[in-house]
Amino acid sequence: MKKVFIEGPISSDFIAQSIAKHQSKTSIGAHNIFLGQVRADVIDDKKVVAIEYTCYEALANEKLHEIREEAFEKFDLICMHIYHSIGTIKSGEVCFFVFVSSKRRKEVYAATEWIVNAVKDRTPIFGKELFEDDSHQWKVNS
């Protein structure tokens, strides 16, 4: 199975390299990208400075593989990448990257939204919000 978890933030270089691999494919008419970024939310008057992501990697990989297979069955996709960070990701850094390609733009929009929601709903990835006062709480997906 393809590696989907990245230790630390997902860099702009990694994102650019992933996209560049598909620029010469002449069967592709549209690409769509979703980047999830850690927000500096204020919760109970405390600012989030980072999120520490953990997962049950074997189960999470299995779920992500199922989501990939379902997406290819449901949508007319040529290419799809799903990556999620594990470890501590600071506010402003990218922690979730979805990239899809198809012949048509409507297909990539619908597929991206479906994939992002499926990952959030079905994958056992947990985030602990770390606050500037060194306290923390488990993140509620939003």
Side-chain angles (χ1 to χ4, degrees), residues 6-12 14 85-90 92-95:
I6 295 175
E7 185 68 40
I10 301 171
S11 72
S12 57
F14 181 86
S85 294
I86 54 175
T88 301
I89 312 304
K90 295 177 185 174
E93 294 179 325
V94 174
C95 59

Side-chain angles (χ1 to χ4, degrees), residues 9 27 30 51-53 74 80 107 117 122 125-126 131:
S27 60
I51 297 178
E52 182 183 330
Y53 287 102
K74 188 172 182 67
M80 175 188 354
E107 201 74 9
N117 289 333
R122 296 168 38 191
I125 300 170
F126 308 100
F131 297 105

Side-chain angles (χ1 to χ4, degrees), residues 2 17-23 25 27-33 68 71-72 75-83 97-104 107-108 111-112 115:
K2 184 177 177 183
Q17 289 168 10
S18 297
I19 294 167
K21 291 176 189 175
H22 302 286
Q23 289 178 322
K25 293 185 180 179
S27 60
I28 295 173
H31 302 285
N32 198 29
I33 300 166
R68 281 181 55 79
F72 275 115
F75 302 98
D76 185 20
L77 299 178
I78 295 169
C79 167
M80 175 188 354
H81 297 278
I82 304 170
Y83 296 100
F97 170 40
V98 175
F99 174 67
V100 296
S101 302
S102 182
K103 292 179 182 179
R104 307 263 183 257
E107 201 74 9
V108 296
T112 302
I115 292 163

Side-chain angles (χ1 to χ4, degrees), residues 30-135:
H31 302 285
N32 198 29
I33 300 166
F34 174 84
L35 299 175
Q37 179 172 302
V38 174
R39 294 184 308 269
D41 286 344
V42 176
I43 302 169
D44 297 329
D45 297 322
K46 296 185 289 186
K47 184 178 173 184
V48 174
V49 295
I51 297 178
E52 182 183 330
Y53 287 102
T54 60
C55 69
Y56 298 114
E57 200 161 336
L59 181 58
N61 271 322
E62 183 180 311
K63 293 297 179 187
L64 287 169
H65 180 72
E66 289 172 9
I67 291 165
R68 281 181 55 79
E69 294 301 311
E70 285 178 44
F72 275 115
E73 288 175 17
K74 188 172 182 67
F75 302 98
D76 185 20
L77 299 178
I78 295 169
C79 167
M80 175 188 354
H81 297 278
I82 304 170
Y83 296 100
H84 203 291
S85 294
I86 54 175
T88 301
I89 312 304
K90 295 177 185 174
S91 296
E93 294 179 325
V94 174
C95 59
F96 185 26
F97 170 40
V98 175
F99 174 67
V100 296
S101 302
S102 182
K103 292 179 182 179
R104 307 263 183 257
R105 65 183 163 83
K106 286 184 180 183
E107 201 74 9
V108 296
Y109 292 141
T112 302
E113 183 173 18
W114 184 88
I115 292 163
V116 169
N117 289 333
V119 170
K120 289 290 190 179
D121 293 343
R122 296 168 38 191
T123 308
I125 300 170
F126 308 100
K128 187 187 326 178
E129 293 172 311
L130 308 175
F131 297 105
E132 60 190 347
D133 68 356
D134 291 330
S135 63

Side-chain angles (χ1 to χ4, degrees), residues 4-5 64 71 106 127 140:
V4 295
F5 292 105
L64 287 169
K106 286 184 180 183
V140 176

